Amino acid sequence: MTTPSSTARLLDGKALSAQILDQLQSAVAKHQQQGGAQPGLATVLVGDDPASHIYVRHKRRACENVGIQSFHYPLEAYVGQSQLLELIQQLNEDERVHGILVQLPLPRDVDYVEQDVLAAIAPHKDADGFHPANQGALLQGQKAPIPCTPKGVMRLLAETKMELSGAHAVVVGRSNIVGKPVAMLLLEQNMTVTLCHSRTRDLAAEVRRADVVVAAVGVPELIEGDWIKPGAVVLDVGINRKADGKLVGDVEFYAAAEHAAWITPVPGGVGPMTIAMLLENTVEAAGVPL
Ligand code: GUN
C-alpha cells in the first residue's frame, strides 16, 4: 500500500503487529527457559465458512511462529449444543490450554445461541474477551481479557501520541465484538464517545465532529472521505471484498487520507493487530510476564 499524496500518515498495523509478535516470542521463550509452561491456544471452528477458515488458519500460524501450542477443533456445522459445550468443558479443564477461541459467526440455523456457547468458556481462558463476565468487567473498567480487535485499535491509536482526554471519538457500528467494547475503551481514556449505527439519522454530521473515527460496520466505503475532520485519526476495522475482488474498508481510504492526520490501510491496518492481541491475551492467560 503506497502512502497517498496527502497529509495523512499511515498507521501500519502490519509493522506494529510484527514487533509485538517478536516481543511475545521472546517472552514465551524466556518463560519456558525458566521452567514455565508453554502457552496453548485452542481454536474451535464450527462449519465451513471459508472466511472463518482463513482467519483461523492465520491465527494458528501466528501461534506457531510465537511458540504457542495450537490445538484445533474443526466441527461439522450440524454439531449439537451438548457436544459443543462438552468440548468447551474439556478445554476448560485441559492444563495445556490457556486460551480458548470459538470462531464467530457460528453457523445459522443451529439449535443453540452464540451467547450460551461463549458463556461456557472459563472466563480466565477467554482469549477473545467475549464471555459475559469479561464484557461486564470491561463495562465497569475492571481488569479482564479485552476483545482483540478493540485492543488492537487502541494500540494503534496510542501510536499517534494524540491527547485523547476530552477529544471526541465517533464509533460507527455497535457489535458486541467491536463497536460496543471499543466505545468502552475510548471512554476509559476520557474521550467523549458517540456510538453510531444503521439507524443513526445523520451519520455524516456525526463523523464530521470526530477527532477519532472507528469504522466497524462492514459496509464497503460507507464513510466518505470528505466527512473526515482535518487532522482526525481514522481507524478502519472493515474488511470488505468488492465485486472486482479488491479489499476495501468501511472508509473511502484515499479521499479520507486527504483530510486525516493518521489513517489505517485495509489490508495491513487493524487486521494484523487483531491476531497479535489474541496471542497477547493467550500469553497473558498463561502467566507469562510481559
Ligand atoms: N469473528 C470475527 N472476529 C472475530 C474475533 O475476533 N474472534 C472470534 N472468535 N471470531 C471472530
Side-chain angles (χ1 to χ4, degrees):
M1 175 81 56
T2 51
T3 308
S5 59
S6 68
T7 54
R9 294 176 67 182
L10 219 49
L11 273 172
D12 187 345
K14 209 170 155 188
L16 181 59
S17 66
Q19 209 179 307
I20 293 168
L21 294 177
D22 267 359
Q23 288 162 357
L24 290 176
Q25 186 191 29
S26 306
V28 166
K30 188 171 164 199
H31 182 66
Q32 284 183 264
Q33 278 159 14
Q34 294 173 345
Q38 182 182 18
L41 175 69
T43 51
V44 179
L45 177 52
V46 187
D48 49 15
D49 177 63
S52 291
H53 274 264
I54 294 170
Y55 290 140
V56 171
R57 197 183 318 132
H58 286 163
K59 291 170 183 180
R60 296 184 64 213
R61 194 178 302 148
C63 280
E64 247 171 62
N65 292 339
V66 164
I68 296 172
Q69 212 173 346
S70 165
F71 304 91
H72 185 48
Y73 299 88
L75 301 175
E76 303 288 354
Y78 50 77
V79 67
Q81 174 169 11
S82 59
Q83 213 181 325
L84 190 47
L85 295 188
E86 218 169 276
L87 170 62
I88 291 172
Q89 193 51 39
Q90 189 189 314
L91 297 172
N92 285 342
E93 288 164 14
D94 190 331
E95 283 182 6
R96 300 167 305 162
V97 172
H98 303 91
I100 302 170
L101 170 156
V102 177
Q103 185 66 25
L104 302 178
L106 290 166
R108 277 189 241 209
D109 305 326
V110 289
D111 66 352
Y112 48 83
V113 279
E114 198 167 277
Q115 287 311 324
D116 292 342
V117 175
L118 298 176
I121 297 170
H124 67 285
K125 292 194 176 186
D126 177 26
D128 262 322
F130 293 164
H131 190 284
N134 290 329
Q135 295 223 317
L138 177 62
L139 191 68
Q140 295 186 351
Q142 292 167 6
K143 191 168 163 42
I146 293 171
C148 309
T149 301
K151 196 177 182 188
V153 165
M154 296 307 291
R155 207 57 82 76
L156 283 167
L157 182 53
E159 287 292 294
T160 69
K161 307 270 195 304
M162 169 190 176
E163 171 68 34
L164 301 180
S165 180
H168 192 172
V170 170
V171 179
V172 188
R174 57 175 155 180
S175 70
N176 289 334
I177 294 183
V178 185
K180 287 184 205 167
V182 88
M184 288 306 124
L185 294 169
L186 294 162
L187 188 59
E188 196 74 8
Q189 296 300 314
N190 299 312
M191 299 196 77
T192 301
V193 182
T194 302
L195 188 45
C196 298
H197 45 79
S198 55
R199 306 286 171 89
T200 294
R201 225 166 255 161
D202 188 349
L203 183 61
E206 302 297 342
V207 172
R208 283 183 205 280
R209 274 198 284 275
D211 301 303
V212 172
V213 181
V214 179
V217 261
V219 179
E221 299 173 321
L222 173 76
I223 295 171
E224 297 180 16
D226 68 3
W227 298 357
I228 303 300
K229 181 161 135 179
V233 178
V234 178
L235 298 140
D236 192 348
V237 177
I239 304 177
N240 313 289
R241 197 171 289 281
K242 293 215 293 189
D244 63 4
K246 200 171 156 248
L247 281 184
V248 295
D250 293 346
V251 180
E252 287 183 336
F253 177 79
Y254 287 99
E258 302 282 330
H259 307 280
W262 293 89
I263 189 165
T264 56
V266 176
V270 175
M273 292 299 293
T274 296
I275 295 187
M277 296 299 102
L278 170 69
L279 271 50
E280 188 177 272
N281 281 352
T282 304
V283 167
E284 275 181 347
V288 176
L290 290 179

